[in-house]
Amino acid sequence: PMLESPWTYRASDKQHYFINRGMPYRETETFELVREKDGWSLEPVVTGATDRTWVDRSGDFYIFNTDRFRGERDICVVRKTGGRLPAELKRTHFHPDLGVGGVIEGTHVVGPWIVLHNKANVVSELWVSRLDDGSNATQIELPGPGTISGISTRAGDTRIWFRFESYSTPPTTYVCDLADPHHTLKSEQQLPTTIAVDDLVSEQTTYKSKDGTDVPIFILRHKDTPLDGTAPTVLYG
């Protein structure tokens, strides 16, 4: 039998705390730990729901990572006013209507912005929008198709750091200042390699399998390799 797993965690603003409880891979409930004069009290945030919703907080804004609407992850941000949260959640940030598809890996609050780490066709994406109303949702241009890990920020900072790697890019630490409207990436550290990575080209495309399913494929080649079908190829998966 499965056992309920309660745990506590600190919100993105480092000022608020939550308790989450539930069965693994099933619906969960979330309570906020509220400091009182002579101790702590529990304030329900998500209870009695049949979905899996994860709660974060930055100031008066609550961030809900939920599968309530379509069985996949959506990001909702609501503001607590008058000591209360809205009775209903509404899809507000990064839903498919904005052109964001794939699998949500997580969110990160950076000052007045919220950053989404998304994966579409096994490739990482970074999206950023205003935390308060979800406006100005834009995608941060990455060095190419690859994988992101270790996203972090600092309190009071407008920058994020993350590690990026791909078939043609060694693990590299990048920093992006979200106050820069162009979201320009700056490389801070790259693992050394003996391979001439500037001579490599990594591309993603899709091929149809026998049953018609589109399968994402990466092609790694030297920049001078001809694309006329004569080059020897190693295929693995």
Side-chain angles (χ1 to χ4, degrees), residues 152-167:
S152 64
T153 186
R154 293 192 294 222
D157 208 320
T158 60
R159 295 172 295 174
I160 59 169
W161 288 261
F162 60 90
R163 182 168 173 161
F164 176 86
E165 59 183 302
S166 70
Y167 289 109

Side-chain angles (χ1 to χ4, degrees), residues 8-226:
T8 61
Y9 62 96
R10 189 162 60 167
S12 289
D13 62 8
K14 310 302 181 186
Q15 303 297 317
H16 300 89
Y17 298 84
F18 295 95
I19 292 180
N20 186 279
R21 72 178 189 186
M23 300 290 186
Y25 306 106
R26 294 178 60 180
E27 61 272 10
T28 60
E29 293 187 321
T30 303
F31 301 82
E32 185 168 5
L33 281 164
V34 179
R35 184 74 176 180
E36 306 286 355
K37 281 186 179 180
D38 52 357
W40 296 83
S41 65
L42 290 179
E43 181 176 314
V45 180
V46 177
T47 60
T50 59
D51 52 65
R52 293 185 300 157
T53 298
W54 308 97
V55 184
D56 193 9
R57 182 173 179 180
S58 179
D60 291 333
F61 292 98
Y62 286 71
I63 300 98
F64 296 87
N65 184 334
T66 180
D67 60 5
R68 180 172 302 182
F69 301 104
R70 57 189 181 101
E72 298 180 18
R73 299 280 109 190
D74 279 302
I75 303 300
C76 304
V77 179
V78 298
R79 190 169 194 167
K80 192 173 187 177
T81 55
R84 289 190 171 189
L85 287 169
E88 294 185 25
L89 289 183
K90 296 181 180 180
R91 295 162 63 192
T92 56
H93 290 61
F94 304 122
H95 53 78
D97 295 343
L98 296 176
V100 183
V103 178
I104 293 176
E105 296 288 311
T107 58
H108 303 266
V109 177
V110 185
W113 301 281
I114 180 171
V115 177
L116 173 81
H117 178 199
N118 192 60
K119 273 196 174 179
N121 281 334
V122 301
V123 170
S124 287
E125 297 176 345
L126 282 182
W127 291 76
V128 58
S129 78
R130 293 284 305 181
L131 175 64
D132 52 3
D133 58 7
S135 62
N136 300 324
T138 56
Q139 188 173 355
I140 297 176
E141 185 175 350
L142 298 175
T147 302
I148 284 175
S149 61
I151 301 175
S152 64
T153 186
R154 293 192 294 222
D157 208 320
T158 60
R159 295 172 295 174
I160 59 169
W161 288 261
F162 60 90
R163 182 168 173 161
F164 176 86
E165 59 183 302
S166 70
Y167 289 109
S168 59
T169 305
T172 306
T173 299
Y174 288 94
V175 60
C176 178
D177 191 343
L178 300 185
D180 171 13
H182 301 293
H183 298 149
T184 304
L185 297 184
K186 294 182 180 179
S187 173
E188 287 204 331
Q189 184 181 35
Q190 184 178 87
L191 290 184
T193 178
T194 58
I195 299 174
V197 293
D198 291 339
D199 292 338
L200 298 178
V201 176
S202 180
E203 302 164 311
Q204 186 186 34
T205 185
T206 58
Y207 283 86
K208 287 190 180 296
S209 65
K210 288 184 178 180
D211 65 0
T213 302
D214 285 329
V215 179
I217 287 182
F218 290 92
I219 299 176
L220 178 65
R221 62 180 176 86
H222 190 279
K223 63 182 181 180
D224 296 330
T225 299

